[in-house]
Amino acid sequence: MHDRNTSSALWTPPLNQPAERELCTDCGVSRMSDPKQCGQACQFIKPDYPAMEQRVHGRNRDSASGDEAFFGPYRRMLQAAMKQPREGAQWTGITTTIAQRLLETGAVDAVIAMAPDPSDKWKPMPVLVTKPEGMAQCRGMRMGYAPSLALIEPAIAAGYKRLAVIGVPCQIYALRRLQDQLGLEKLYVIGTPCSDNTTTEAFHGFLDLLSDKPETITYLEFCADYHVEMRFDDGKVKRVPFLLLPISKLPPDFFPITCRTCVDYTNTLADITVGYMGGRGEQWLLVRNERGEELLRLLGDDVRLSEPTTAGNRVAPVKGFLKNTELAAGGLPVRGMPNWLRPFMGWLMPKVGPRGIEFARARVEMKAVETVLHLRRHYKHKMKNMIPAHVWALVKPYGLEPQDGERRN
């Protein structure tokens, strides 16, 4: 039992071992007292987004107008940055600052978040943060699976009935499915889009390909300007165009099949989504409901807000991605471009490729394409239950239509 009066700002209770599952990102539900809840909660079994959008937001996405067909229900879409970036933050620290303010104002008793594992700075460790200063330890990017939802039952047992949860889409879908039976007095959900995950071990292999001294890398981010930015412990910064990344040297299963069959890239069931895809070098916010508005108001005048912009055309890149994914035969998308052309295209894409909101639309459509193709190849029998109608709508313009038995009646 956790002592609520302890001086520690972070707490990770002992966790059960995960139950074995066929498609699983170890969100933490299988580690709870009743692992059978996975059948009800898992995004990779039979997700019901229309029902969940109605329950969480009070309405369904309006696919006939605006960008809700791509991003799910939202009230406002914004580009944002903290006026004074937080030290150690992945971008400027919006996510962790919102959570910090929730603790400072007493709106919540604890925040479920991720911190670096003491044994590996890149490995995520789920934590309960009970004091505002603890959120500083949760800044930055981790890569790997983190069973965050396994902390809910220990939190409730310790008397924490008002919670905030920071999570990726597969965690948040499961949380929302179980929310009504948890007995919480209040729940705030801060979602981040998931730009594909991998194991921490596989990520170290990627770092090994990027630098001859991977242990000196302190920061890595896939940016919306078609570059990966790396920072090193000596203060140096290196930016590598996407087209020059050593993708061909990665194992075919670098991104697990779960991430390649995800149907919710933008965390549509969060109260507020905080990401990068539509931000043009800043953060991209989707304020989805009144609770999301409340979370944004916590930042006050410390945040700079502006309207997001859009440029370029996504159709050709998405078509190219579809073709390459088909040719990859289940592995990572192949790159047919000759090596001599890659540096030029790496320079050109940030200038003429889809940018801002168009970049975000492109990524969502690419993920939808990937979902259909990989499920069709590996788990055709699951397609009827796993692929929501909004995903079929996204891939239809690119010639992907449900075959017999692939779509729910």
Side-chain angles (χ1 to χ4, degrees):
M1 180 65 68
H2 179 57
D3 181 1
R4 295 188 62 168
N5 296 317
T6 182
S7 60
S8 175
L10 301 179
W11 172 48
T12 299
L15 301 179
N16 296 327
Q17 289 298 308
E20 187 173 344
R21 298 285 186 259
E22 186 175 23
L23 288 175
C24 183
T25 56
D26 194 13
C27 69
V29 173
S30 79
R31 298 172 183 256
M32 297 173 74
S33 58
D34 181 8
K36 294 181 180 179
Q37 292 181 117
C38 290
Q40 169 192 351
C42 184
Q43 181 197 32
F44 299 99
I45 295 179
K46 192 176 181 180
D48 188 347
Y49 277 91
M52 295 308 299
E53 289 173 0
Q54 187 70 37
R55 185 184 304 176
V56 173
H57 305 304
R59 66 180 183 88
N60 295 121
R61 68 183 67 201
D62 181 1
S63 297
S65 62
D67 280 317
E68 291 197 354
F70 299 93
F71 311 134
Y74 65 89
R75 290 185 172 195
R76 289 196 289 163
M77 186 189 304
L78 300 162
Q79 186 168 306
M82 299 300 294
K83 294 176 181 177
Q84 293 294 326
R86 288 356 186 202
E87 182 178 355
Q90 188 69 6
W91 289 87
T92 59
I94 287 177
T95 300
T96 48
T97 301
I98 290 174
Q100 178 183 327
R101 298 281 168 84
L102 285 170
L103 290 165
E104 288 173 344
T105 59
V108 300
D109 304 315
V111 177
I112 294 178
M114 289 188 299
D117 189 286
S119 66
D120 186 339
K121 66 183 179 182
W122 296 109
K123 183 178 180 180
M125 179 179 67
V127 292
L128 269 170
V129 185
T130 56
K131 297 188 177 182
E133 61 269 22
M135 289 310 306
Q137 299 179 52
C138 299
R139 295 173 186 157
M141 186 265 283
R142 319 268 87 81
M143 186 64 78
Y145 298 126
S148 300
L149 301 189
L151 273 61
I152 292 176
E153 289 179 334
I156 294 172
Y160 302 126
K161 294 294 187 73
R162 298 174 302 153
L163 296 178
V165 177
I166 301 172
V168 294
C170 53
Q171 296 168 337
I172 299 310
Y173 183 86
L175 172 65
R176 292 301 200 185
R177 289 289 292 176
L178 300 178
Q179 177 178 342
D180 291 346
Q181 62 198 58
L182 295 174
L184 295 171
E185 296 175 3
K186 188 175 288 187
L187 176 65
Y188 294 93
V189 178
I190 306 167
T192 60
C194 186
S195 302
D196 294 318
N197 203 350
T198 189
T199 64
T200 307
E201 293 74 21
F203 183 66
H204 278 289
F206 180 56
L207 295 179
D208 290 342
L209 295 173
L210 294 177
S211 172
D212 56 359
K213 293 183 178 180
E215 70 280 359
T216 66
I217 299 174
T218 61
Y219 175 99
L220 184 143
E221 180 60 75
F222 287 79
C223 301
D225 64 355
Y226 301 90
H227 285 74
V228 167
E229 180 174 316
M230 291 179 289
R231 301 173 191 171
F232 297 82
D233 57 13
D234 61 359
K236 292 182 180 178
V237 177
K238 181 180 180 181
R239 290 174 58 81
V240 181
F242 286 173
L243 291 174
L244 297 183
L245 292 173
I247 299 297
S248 62
K249 297 180 181 179
L250 294 173
D253 62 349
F254 179 78
F255 293 123
I257 191 66
T258 46
C259 293
R260 288 183 281 167
T261 57
C262 177
V263 297
D264 181 18
Y265 207 43
T266 60
N267 221 323
T268 58
L269 299 181
D271 296 319
I272 187 171
T273 296
V274 185
Y276 81 96
M277 288 187 292
R280 300 289 289 268
E282 294 187 332
Q283 287 180 278
W284 178 52
L285 305 186
L286 292 161
V287 183
R288 299 193 178 276
N289 52 38
E290 177 52 41
R291 188 148 286 181
E293 297 279 10
E294 182 182 347
L295 293 171
L296 181 58
R297 285 195 293 269
L298 289 170
L299 298 177
D301 294 332
D302 293 332
V303 67
R304 180 176 64 252
L305 302 174
S306 60
E307 291 296 316
T309 59
T310 187
N313 191 303
R314 69 186 184 278
V315 174
V318 176
K319 286 182 176 179
F321 179 86
L322 188 156
K323 180 180 178 180
N324 287 341
T325 303
E326 289 177 326
L327 293 173
L332 294 176
V334 296
R335 302 289 182 87
M337 186 182 301
N339 287 333
W340 63 266
L341 188 57
R342 292 180 187 275
F344 171 72
M345 292 303 296
W347 170 83
L348 185 65
M349 284 301 290
K351 296 174 174 58
V352 302
R355 282 99 72 200
I357 301 304
E358 186 72 349
F359 178 85
R361 296 182 191 117
R363 289 301 294 134
V364 169
E365 287 185 336
M366 287 177 182
K367 288 303 297 181
V369 163
E370 198 174 37
T371 292
V372 171
L373 293 181
H374 285 296
L375 281 178
R376 185 171 283 169
R377 182 174 290 118
H378 298 289
Y379 291 99
K380 188 174 176 64
H381 64 286
K382 291 181 177 289
M383 295 178 71
K384 179 174 68 173
N385 289 325
M386 275 186 60
I387 303 181
H390 72 261
V391 171
W392 284 119
L394 290 171
V395 300
K396 184 175 181 179
Y398 301 96
L400 285 178
E401 298 269 9
Q403 299 173 2
D404 289 345
E406 290 183 348
R407 185 168 187 168
R408 298 180 202 173
N409 294 328

